[in-house]
Amino acid sequence: MDGDREEDQNFEEEEENEQEEEIEQEDENEQEEENEQDEDEYPLSEEQENNEFTSDEVRDVLYLLSTGFPESYKTNSHKEEMLLTLTENFWRQYTHLYPDRRHLFMSPQNECGVQKFVCTTLRPTLLPYPELYHWDQCAQFVAEYLSMKPLHPPLNLPAVLYSSSTILNLQKGNCFDFSILLCSLLLGAGYDAYCVSGYATREMCLVDETREVCPLLTGTEENSLEPSPKTTKKYSVKPPRQLISTFEQQQKEKQEAKFQAALHKEREEKEQILAEAEKPGPDPLYGLRVHCWVLVLSGKREVPENFFIDALTGKSYGTKNDHFLGIESLWNHKNYWVNMQDCRNACKDLSFDLGDPVCWEFMLLDNSKPLLLIPDMEEEEEEETNEGVDQGSEKIFHMPPSWVLPILVTQKEFETRCPEGKKVKQYRKAKMEKWGPYLQKNGQVSRLTEYQDIECTKEVQIQHWFQHRMDKLDKRQQKIQDGVTTESFSPGRGDALKVHVYRSLAPETERSMTFYSEARLDGLHIRDENPKEMTEIFQGRSDFLKYKHIQFGKRPKKVAIAGGPNEANPRPILKITERFLRNKNKPANEDVAERIFLITEDRIQLRCHRENDHITTSYWEYLKPTNLGEKGTHVVLTPETCISYQVEPSEKFNKQLYVYETLISLQQEEQKSKNLVRKSEAEVLAILSARVQEEADPKLTISIYDTERNEKSKAQRDAQEHAMQEERKRQAILEMDYLAPFLAQLGEPEKLTRLQAQQVKEECLKDLKQRLIEKANLMQARFEKETQELEKKQQWYQQSHSSMNKEDEESYLEYCSEAMFRIEILKKRLSRHKALAPQKYLTLEERLNKDPRLCESFLAP
């Protein structure tokens, strides 16, 4: 009976296991069908497909890279094994208590196939670039430097988590790789940053920004402000009364208001229809797509409030943003926390007080966040913790150090940033392209194209940004519909050009130029030109000139002689208007405010400044005589020559001499102004010609400190190093060549004769013999000198032995000991030298006999 019962129980257990396996298999099949359906409904773009690693590429990369990795990548230390054991224990308890929760991202494999805890994958690093000390620039760098590889399938956590050093080398990664790298950099910069594993919307997981406005365009739209009412002057003439019916005016305003309201309603309906059309379709995987981002808590680095950073785009969001749909866990380099709060309302109701054990369950006891205590139990808990500190302090497990190699980014990599030097982002009605410096021939680093439609087919405006241009061009803005181009330049140009707005680079067309007035001698700030007019505005001039307006006439037609030179045919100047600032050193009645040269009418008009207590200004109008300024002619001044209105009349203004001198000076000023106008025209032509040449052949500047790109300095440095190496080799050859001094006496012939070879051999042996004898004589002389000095010292001791004290005797004995030591050493050296001298002589003779330069001469007939 017992056996039958056991068989029945075993049979029932087998049936239950088979049923469970069938249910699990059905769930897996349903999940695969959902994933396949999601992939069919939302296929990946070409860029995302290209960014994915194939299995062959992964195997090749891992095989090549794993051989160069240190042991920390390939094995686990004893402390890491203990940490993995604790992780497994924590995971078992978690699955037992919360069987309905999803898997936690805790201990994935690294690039070498070794299981590592996610907290040890973080390596806080502060790179030596000031820009990366702030979170926004740091996030922008990570987003631009790496290419996104979407999670596949989007519902599962990645099985492999690469180290940040490997991700920097590959420049590709998923959202977890992005966040690990960004969190490491933020922790190194002093921020309280955490990696967050959770769920997000489809647009955020796939970096779909086609429905978002480009950040560079958010502040470009100008607000339509009502014009400020004109201030009426105290002594201005009142306008005549308008005899208009108030009732009719009110009726017109009502009709206009109704018309505007209808237009506004129609516009709103169109915008609503467009907005509905642009809304994304329903996502069947809403709330299930796995995503990883970065959380920055307030407190450190003067962060006022908590916020999220999406590492894929580098943008910051509030913790209540609709894109983030839930959080499973988060971690830093010290601990791991599991979210115990309800995420039905996404992240809007979550508390990020990691010290609250009700909201967040931490894994290690070494929790840097202070725990919240129940008020009634605070004292008891404190007593218990104080008693158990000494007993349990040794049992607290501390996080082992990171196994990741140091995060290194070279200066060239930091400047280039984008993978392969280029990155493209698509926004709503806009496309942003970025290049690394010096990658484009014209120095372009970014380009923003704005479109009129959602499909991005009709261009509206294109903005270009440049760097390292020799012509100092920084930005170019092209409005396609208007045909207007605006160029901005940085300081440093020879013509001090700052902004150039034009439709065409052809001369005598509509354009506007803004200059750096402080860098010009004439103080020119703005120059506006069209075929008929030219306006110039000045700043900081010593003659107080602030405004000049030139009016041109039609150019007369000239018939060019066949085969003759083409003469210049300038535009005729009809009128020149000049305005001046107030000169406090002159009376207002004599300080000219406006000067008009009516060249075709031979008239000149002057208007002076007004005193503060006056309401009118002085005015003069001169009519130039035909023979004014000609030598030997008599100028007749008539009453029509000078017509004036004087606020404060003076006799000198009415004298003919004053009128004549004023006419002469005004004629000179007129000619000077005309010359300056021609000079301005020539300058415009020179600038346009230079711009055409600069755009045809753009040149880039390279800093002298940029040793990699500066070809001139690099070639010079390589030449110097090559010359130094050659010199060192030559010196080494000369030092090793024992025949060099003897061959130099013969003029270093290419080939020695038999007689010369014999002579060189004898001289070399003779020189060695002489050096050996001199060395032996030197040792013998030193030996004899030491012996004589010792004998003298002994004679002195015998003579003065009776009168010497103890200290003198000790010094004498010490001297004798040292002298005997030196004599013994010299004696041994001398005997050793005498024993080795014949051997050295025979060795040199044998070497000379085998030297190829001498052997060939001895063998020659």
Side-chain angles (χ1 to χ4, degrees), residues 587-590 608 618-620 622 642 644-659 662:
N589 201 34
E590 300 179 11
C608 294
S618 299
Y619 172 82
W620 280 271
Y622 296 92
C642 177
S644 65
Y645 167 76
Q646 302 174 17
V647 178
E648 296 179 357
S650 177
E651 294 182 1
K652 69 173 184 177
F653 295 150
N654 299 325
K655 293 182 179 180
Q656 291 188 354
L657 179 60
Y658 174 80
V659 174
T662 304

Side-chain angles (χ1 to χ4, degrees), residues 480-701:
I480 307 301
Q481 296 178 351
D482 299 337
V484 178
T485 302
T486 303
E487 295 178 339
S488 301
F489 302 85
S490 58
R493 287 180 61 93
D495 50 20
L497 184 61
K498 183 178 182 180
V499 180
H500 185 198
V501 183
Y502 61 92
R503 295 180 182 272
S504 172
L505 287 176
E508 298 181 10
T509 56
E510 186 177 356
R511 72 186 66 260
S512 176
M513 294 183 179
T514 304
F515 299 88
Y516 293 96
S517 58
E518 63 275 4
R520 293 180 61 99
L521 296 177
D522 57 357
L524 179 61
H525 180 54
I526 298 175
R527 176 184 287 146
D528 296 335
E529 183 188 15
N530 57 46
K532 297 182 179 180
E533 295 178 336
M534 179 187 289
T535 303
E536 296 179 339
I537 299 175
F538 303 88
Q539 291 181 351
R541 286 179 63 107
S542 58
D543 57 356
F544 298 94
L545 178 64
K546 69 172 182 179
Y547 174 85
K548 180 185 287 187
H549 178 265
I550 303 98
Q551 185 176 351
F552 299 99
K554 291 185 178 180
R555 181 180 282 103
K557 296 182 180 180
K558 290 187 176 181
V559 180
I561 302 175
N566 295 325
E567 297 181 357
N569 187 16
R571 292 179 292 178
I573 302 174
L574 304 180
K575 179 181 178 182
I576 300 176
T577 302
E578 297 177 343
R579 294 172 186 170
F580 301 84
L581 296 173
R582 179 75 171 89
N583 186 2
K584 299 295 183 180
N585 297 326
K586 292 182 179 181
N589 201 34
E590 300 179 11
D591 188 13
V592 178
E594 184 179 45
R595 185 168 59 190
I596 302 175
F597 299 103
L598 301 172
I599 298 174
T600 56
E601 301 176 8
D602 288 336
R603 288 189 298 118
I604 301 174
Q605 297 176 355
L606 298 180
R607 183 177 58 83
C608 294
H609 284 277
R610 180 181 61 84
E611 287 285 0
N612 294 332
D613 55 348
H614 294 171
I615 62 174
T616 57
T617 59
S618 299
Y619 172 82
W620 280 271
E621 182 175 355
Y622 296 92
L623 179 62
K624 293 191 301 183
T626 55
N627 56 353
L628 181 65
E630 297 180 3
K631 294 183 179 180
T633 59
H634 181 68
V635 178
V636 179
L637 300 179
T638 62
E640 297 179 354
T641 304
C642 177
I643 301 174
S644 65
Y645 167 76
Q646 302 174 17
V647 178
E648 296 179 357
S650 177
E651 294 182 1
K652 69 173 184 177
F653 295 150
N654 299 325
K655 293 182 179 180
Q656 291 188 354
L657 179 60
Y658 174 80
V659 174
Y660 176 76
E661 291 177 350
T662 304
L663 278 172
I664 294 296
S665 63
L666 289 176
Q667 187 182 31
Q668 295 174 356
E669 291 295 331
E670 180 182 344
Q671 186 62 36
K672 183 179 177 181
S673 297
K674 291 169 65 177
N675 294 337
L676 291 176
V677 170
R678 299 306 180 192
K679 187 177 180 181
S680 297
E681 290 182 307
E683 184 182 13
V684 171
L685 293 176
I687 292 175
L688 297 180
S689 176
R691 290 296 303 128
V692 171
Q693 186 175 0
E694 290 165 356
E695 290 301 321
D697 186 18
K699 296 182 179 179
L700 306 180
T701 59

Side-chain angles (χ1 to χ4, degrees), residues 150-211:
L151 293 175
H152 187 74
L155 305 181
N156 297 344
L157 294 167
V160 180
L161 181 64
Y162 291 174
S163 64
S164 298
S165 57
T166 304
I167 292 300
L168 287 174
N169 292 330
L170 297 176
Q171 286 193 275
K172 288 183 179 181
N174 53 40
C175 56
F176 286 85
D177 300 323
F178 274 69
S179 300
I180 288 289
L181 175 59
L182 177 58
C183 190
S184 299
L185 298 180
L186 292 178
L187 289 172
Y191 288 95
D192 192 9
Y194 302 83
C195 289
V196 183
S197 175
Y199 309 95
T201 59
R202 176 179 56 192
E203 289 73 23
M204 179 159 288
C205 293
L206 299 179
V207 199
D208 185 5
E209 298 179 294
T210 55
R211 296 176 181 86

Side-chain angles (χ1 to χ4, degrees), residues 50 66 231 312 324 404 618 637 813 815 837 849 858:
N50 295 333
S66 61
T231 56
L312 298 179
F324 305 96
V404 179
S618 299
L637 300 179
L813 293 175
Y815 171 78
N849 292 333
F858 287 131

